[in-house]
Amino acid sequence: FSKEWLDTIRQIFEQTARRMSKYFASFFENLCYFGISGVDVVTYEEFIRSSYTPSANFIIESSGEPFVIQIEPAIAIQLLYGQLMQMTENLNLNGHRDLIRLESESLEARVIKPILTNINKAIEEVSKRLSQKNDSEGGLLSFGKIEFQNNPSFVDAAMPQDMCVLITMESRMFEKEGMIQICLPRFFVQNKLG
């Protein structure tokens, strides 16, 4: 990965984090923060081994190229139930558990799809700012199948030795703090963002 690619990816996800803060703040009365704490190059195996168990893992395909969004359960539950109940204070729910199917389906609709929308908007804004021509449908990604998995060991988005860009996003809502990790395998970055 070149330094230029990593800088562009950082800019895209910093913009995504700002957009997510605004979007989710509307449900939490401005008590929500997302920020990038790191953009690293790791092997896919390192990503899986460093993952929380359990965790909310969403494998998203974009024109056949998969990538992973992983959310700590406590943050996933806070985001989901905070929206459903229009909460303005901390939820006292046990966040370190496997999510049930209904929760994962609701998370996909209420959290993952808005994140994907914000990623696309950020790509568009950063592309305009950098005056780059992106040949992938006007700079936007098209998202297909989304799969859910509680156990990161069963997440299959790349070969163990494949290099990936790992974006670590910190999140804070009320007293809850946690991480959202976005793992972009090399082929995804080359074909979609390169």
Side-chain angles (χ1 to χ4, degrees):
F1 297 103
S2 72
K3 184 176 175 1
E4 182 180 292
W5 271 9
L6 294 176
D7 288 342
T8 301
I9 290 168
R10 176 178 281 283
Q11 289 178 34
I12 288 168
F13 285 94
E14 283 174 346
Q15 185 66 24
T16 300
R18 282 191 287 276
R19 292 181 142 284
M20 287 171 55
S21 292
K22 289 177 187 175
Y23 176 82
F24 290 110
S26 66
F27 300 101
F28 298 104
E29 296 186 2
N30 294 325
L31 301 171
C32 188
Y33 167 78
F34 294 90
I36 299 298
S37 62
V39 175
D40 302 302
V41 177
V42 299
T43 64
Y44 187 71
E45 182 177 24
E46 290 172 321
F47 163 66
I48 294 300
R49 287 181 182 220
S50 68
S51 297
Y52 299 99
T53 303
S55 56
N57 298 282
F58 291 89
I59 305 96
I60 298 114
E61 282 194 20
S62 178
S63 302
E65 298 290 342
F67 69 98
V68 180
I69 296 178
Q70 180 183 81
I71 308 174
E72 277 186 55
I75 295 300
I77 288 170
Q78 187 77 35
L79 284 168
L80 176 61
Y81 287 101
Q83 285 184 55
L84 292 174
M85 296 187 242
Q86 297 285 311
M87 298 299 290
T88 57
E89 60 187 56
N90 190 34
L91 292 169
N92 292 317
L93 298 171
N94 178 10
H96 296 287
R97 61 175 174 79
D98 285 349
L99 300 177
I100 61 173
R101 195 176 104 211
L102 181 60
E103 289 172 326
S104 69
E105 290 170 357
S106 296
L107 270 170
E108 181 182 326
R110 294 178 172 270
V111 176
I112 297 301
K113 287 188 178 175
I115 289 173
L116 297 176
T117 298
N118 284 316
I119 289 171
N120 260 341
K121 289 179 181 177
I123 289 170
E124 192 172 39
E125 290 169 11
V126 170
S127 293
K128 284 180 186 175
R129 194 171 353 144
L130 297 176
S131 300
Q132 293 177 342
K133 181 167 172 56
N134 191 328
D135 61 357
S136 176
E137 297 177 19
L140 301 180
L141 301 175
S142 58
F143 301 108
K145 187 169 138 184
I146 299 175
E147 294 180 19
F148 174 78
Q149 180 58 252
N150 273 310
N151 187 336
S153 298
F154 298 124
V155 175
D156 187 25
M159 297 297 292
Q161 69 276 10
D162 285 350
M163 298 306 292
C164 302
V165 176
L166 182 63
I167 298 101
T168 304
M169 191 179 298
E170 62 180 309
S171 57
R172 278 184 249 135
M173 286 159 283
F174 310 105
E175 297 149 19
K176 298 266 193 247
E177 292 185 16
M179 297 292 174
I180 296 174
Q181 294 188 320
I182 301 169
C183 179
L184 306 175
R186 179 175 52 93
F187 294 114
F188 178 87
V189 174
Q190 288 176 336
N191 295 334
K192 300 296 177 186
L193 303 176

